[in-house]
Amino acid sequence: MKFNLLNLLALKRSGSADLPLHYGHVPPWLAQRMAKLGLAITESILLEYGRAEVIRRLSNPFWFQSLGAVMGMDWHSSGITTSVMGALKKSINPLSKELGIYICGGKGKFSRETPNELLKIAEKTGLNGQELVRSSKLSAKVDNTAIQDGFQLYLHSFILSSDGDWAVVQQGMSDANSTARRYHWHSENLKSFVEEPHTGICGINQGKILNLTANEADLTRKTMMSITDESPNRMIAEVQKLVMPNHHDVRSKDIDLKRLGSILWLAQEKKPSDFEELLLLEGMGPRTLQSMALVSEVIYGTPSRFSDPARYSFANGGKDGHPFPVPVNVYDETISVLQHAVEKAKIGNTDKQQAIKALHQITRNAERDFTPNMDFDKVIEKERTESWKYGGRTVFGREQPPRDKQLRLF
């Protein structure tokens, strides 16, 4: 394939983001909690919106990155993809029959098991297994071959509902510059496997690339071997572009300070008894309320809320200590509150679930007239200073009490 074909292409992409490669591991103490929180969030979305919405969320690169951040992963790195999908597969698949959600594939050798896994699911659900396998293979083929952007796929996850909706989350790596690119697909928006098929592409911009899936590449495609005879069904609703920075630390420019500030104000200056809707959350400490407010937004927030994924790292920190160590005790209490609400809702008692939903609405209302007046660096310093109180932990070990005095945020 000649690269002089580039001048025939407009190189339009459906989305991009910087995803620096991180080779660190996820410690068992975090992996176990990620699986529990991921399941509780998934079940909450299922109860409120249904299976199609779970698939839709996973096909959204902004929401996906925000989910990884709220689960305690490094907010900007490529490791979110592997870790989040691994945690969800571990926790969801044992309950797939009940939930109606199945996760296939994974990293390396596990990605090659996807066709067999899909065929087994098809036998149980009555779905068309051959079509699902074809969709899986074509999505991988397009991102590995039809889009020649220098990234070699090493992860392929296929998420399927018992209704037949599916999403693909897959990631490629470039050895040349140690970066990753994540690709998102969604069956609902799929017009064709060879014409603008993605819901989002995440990765460092490599400049001009050979993209045979661009609309303007139609003439070029017709001169080459056809990949598929798909007939158009639906147009992609909007382009999703996620641009992540290279720096590991969280900076004020990465955050919508008005949104974060209103959550910190609500958690530090108010209490559940101040709001009738939150009385069922009475007794929850300020730090857990902060975590719950961000988790609530991941569950109930609209797509526009996920434009700054770094903000969600202020729920449960990050395993490498950015923006601060993972507050394990807060993490556990957040899981417990959410699990309890889900179990109550399953038997018809939705009061606590509605209280968590109201928490998101209250923080949104607080934003309207909120003017950020906090010192962002002091916010992070305070979290780090007090981390030991909440069982703060990173891959480097447990946090110890500091000698310095506590700092005020406002």
Side-chain angles (χ1 to χ4, degrees):
M1 199 173 294
K2 301 290 186 181
F3 277 91
N4 59 16
L5 289 175
L6 277 172
N7 58 14
L8 298 176
L9 307 178
L11 304 174
K12 180 180 178 182
R13 294 163 54 203
S14 53
S16 65
D18 294 343
L19 290 173
L21 275 174
H22 278 198
Y23 294 98
H25 69 285
V26 180
W29 58 264
L30 179 57
Q32 294 165 4
R33 289 174 171 85
M34 287 180 65
K36 291 179 181 179
L37 183 58
L39 176 61
I41 289 173
T42 300
E43 288 192 290
S44 298
I45 296 172
L46 283 169
L47 286 167
E48 184 72 19
Y49 304 109
R51 290 185 286 266
E53 182 64 18
V54 173
I55 304 298
R56 188 175 297 112
R57 298 282 184 98
L58 288 169
S59 72
N60 182 320
F62 288 90
W63 184 85
F64 190 95
Q65 201 75 14
S66 301
L67 174 65
V70 88
M71 292 168 75
M73 283 299 297
D74 303 318
W75 64 279
H76 75 313
S77 79
S78 62
I80 277 183
T81 313
T82 304
S83 303
V84 169
M85 291 313 307
L88 293 179
K89 186 173 184 179
K90 178 181 178 181
S91 60
I92 289 176
N93 279 6
L95 302 173
S96 286
K97 186 176 181 180
E98 172 190 338
L99 302 178
I101 299 290
Y102 304 82
I103 299 179
C104 305
K107 185 179 179 181
K109 65 179 182 179
F110 296 105
S111 66
R112 295 188 289 273
E113 293 298 318
T114 306
N116 290 333
E117 292 176 317
L118 287 172
L119 291 175
K120 289 178 182 178
I121 293 169
E123 290 179 4
K124 299 175 183 177
T125 60
L127 296 172
N128 188 328
Q130 294 301 327
E131 275 299 311
L132 293 172
V133 170
R134 181 171 179 270
S135 297
S136 170
K137 289 183 176 180
L138 278 172
S139 64
K141 192 70 173 177
V142 166
D143 287 337
N144 223 27
T145 304
I147 298 181
Q148 294 189 10
D149 53 4
F151 291 83
Q152 185 71 30
L153 289 186
Y154 66 92
L155 179 146
H156 174 86
S157 292
F158 195 102
I159 308 98
L160 172 69
S161 82
S162 55
D163 303 311
D165 298 314
W166 56 263
V168 169
V169 177
Q170 53 193 5
Q171 190 156 287
M173 177 173 62
S174 171
D175 291 326
N177 53 23
S178 296
T179 56
R181 176 161 291 158
R182 189 173 71 233
Y183 308 86
H184 291 254
W185 295 67
H186 187 198
S187 59
E188 181 183 57
N189 293 324
L190 185 62
K191 173 186 176 183
S192 165
F193 274 101
V194 293
E195 186 173 336
E196 300 289 354
H198 303 88
T199 57
I201 303 177
C202 309
I204 290 178
N205 193 329
Q206 303 296 311
K208 292 186 176 182
I209 62 173
L210 177 59
N211 183 357
L212 294 178
T213 70
N215 284 328
E216 296 81 357
D218 181 61
L219 181 61
T220 304
R221 288 195 301 270
K222 287 178 179 178
T223 66
M224 302 168 66
M225 182 179 296
S226 176
I227 294 178
T228 180
D229 294 321
E230 291 292 301
S231 56
N233 289 320
R234 300 190 181 191
M235 296 293 291
I236 293 179
E238 64 178 272
V239 172
Q240 298 175 3
K241 302 184 76 172
L242 174 61
V243 179
M244 304 298 286
N246 287 318
H247 57 266
H248 197 166
D249 57 315
V250 180
R251 303 174 185 176
S252 58
K253 65 180 181 180
D254 304 317
I255 303 285
D256 185 320
L257 293 179
K258 187 172 185 178
R259 290 177 177 176
L260 177 62
S262 64
I263 287 176
L264 296 178
W265 171 82
L266 176 67
Q268 300 293 331
E269 305 296 326
K270 297 295 180 180
K271 53 189 178 184
S273 59
D274 292 336
F275 304 96
E276 183 178 346
E277 300 93 332
L278 297 185
L279 288 178
L280 288 173
L281 301 180
E282 187 72 63
M284 182 184 296
R287 188 55 189 80
T288 302
L289 189 62
Q290 176 180 321
S291 176
M292 280 303 309
L294 287 162
V295 170
S296 175
E297 188 167 311
V298 167
I299 298 169
Y300 301 107
T302 57
S304 64
R305 303 293 297 179
F306 307 109
S307 58
D308 57 336
R311 179 163 50 96
Y312 296 91
S313 64
F314 281 80
N316 292 306
K319 67 178 179 65
D320 286 352
H322 295 288
F324 46 81
V326 176
V328 172
N329 298 344
V330 171
Y331 204 135
D332 288 343
E333 188 172 358
T334 301
I335 291 171
S336 178
V337 170
L338 198 54
Q339 285 179 333
H340 187 61
V342 168
E343 292 307 313
K344 288 285 187 181
K346 286 179 180 179
I347 59 175
N349 184 352
T350 62
D351 289 354
K352 200 158 190 174
Q353 184 189 29
Q354 292 305 313
I356 295 172
K357 184 177 182 179
L359 179 57
H360 166 56
Q361 189 57 51
I362 288 170
T363 56
R364 287 200 63 178
N365 293 340
E367 288 174 20
R368 293 174 184 171
D369 302 315
F370 187 84
T371 301
N373 64 339
M374 61 186 180
D375 185 319
F376 184 76
D377 292 332
K378 284 186 177 180
V379 170
I380 294 179
E381 188 176 348
K382 182 177 187 294
E383 285 282 0
R384 290 176 176 170
T385 300
E386 298 184 349
S387 178
W388 65 276
K389 295 181 180 180
Y390 309 113
R393 199 167 178 179
T394 68
V395 292
F396 309 109
R398 299 178 186 273
E399 293 299 297
Q400 300 300 320
R403 297 178 181 178
D404 299 332
K405 295 182 179 179
Q406 296 183 20
L407 301 171
R408 291 185 59 83
L409 298 184
F410 301 94

